[in-house]
Amino acid sequence: MKQVTQRMCIVNPALVPDIAPLVGGQSDIMTNIGISWNTWTKITGGQPVRYSLAERLKARIIANAGELETLGRKFPATCGGVDHEALGNALLISNS
């Protein structure tokens, strides 16, 4: 029987404090960013998560990046706001 290996990645630890305000509390996390509290615990601990989950998280973060002043400073767009492409490129780190 062939074992399927899931693709994994790490959310950039340097950006975790910047995205933390989007999380909210333990009861709000699924609604706010589409992940479980256990997954958030893995992310804050620098542990790998499934790539498909990380892509969902990335989409939610990019959609709400304008709410986070620190991301605007780290990834400024030329016309103001957040450079979504640069943020997306920096957010996930391959674990392979």
Side-chain angles (χ1 to χ4, degrees):
M1 185 174 193
K2 186 177 180 180
Q3 184 176 351
V4 177
T5 304
Q6 292 204 15
R7 191 170 166 201
M8 305 290 278
C9 67
I10 297 170
V11 176
N12 188 335
L15 298 177
V16 170
D18 298 312
I19 61 176
L22 288 178
V23 172
Q26 195 168 359
S27 61
D28 301 324
I29 190 168
M30 183 58 75
T31 304
N32 291 353
I33 59 173
I35 63 171
S36 71
W37 189 258
N38 289 340
T39 299
W40 179 245
T41 302
K42 287 181 181 180
I43 290 169
T44 59
Q47 297 176 0
V49 295
R50 284 187 338 271
Y51 188 77
S52 59
L53 180 146
E55 282 292 319
R56 182 174 66 239
L57 173 66
K58 177 177 152 180
R60 296 267 180 111
I61 291 169
I62 288 172
N64 294 294
E67 299 174 27
L68 303 171
E69 188 177 316
T70 58
L71 291 179
R73 286 194 303 266
K74 287 184 178 181
F75 304 98
T78 55
C79 58
V82 178
D83 182 338
H84 292 166
E85 185 176 351
L87 172 58
N89 290 337
L91 195 56
L92 304 180
I93 300 170
S94 176
N95 192 40
S96 44

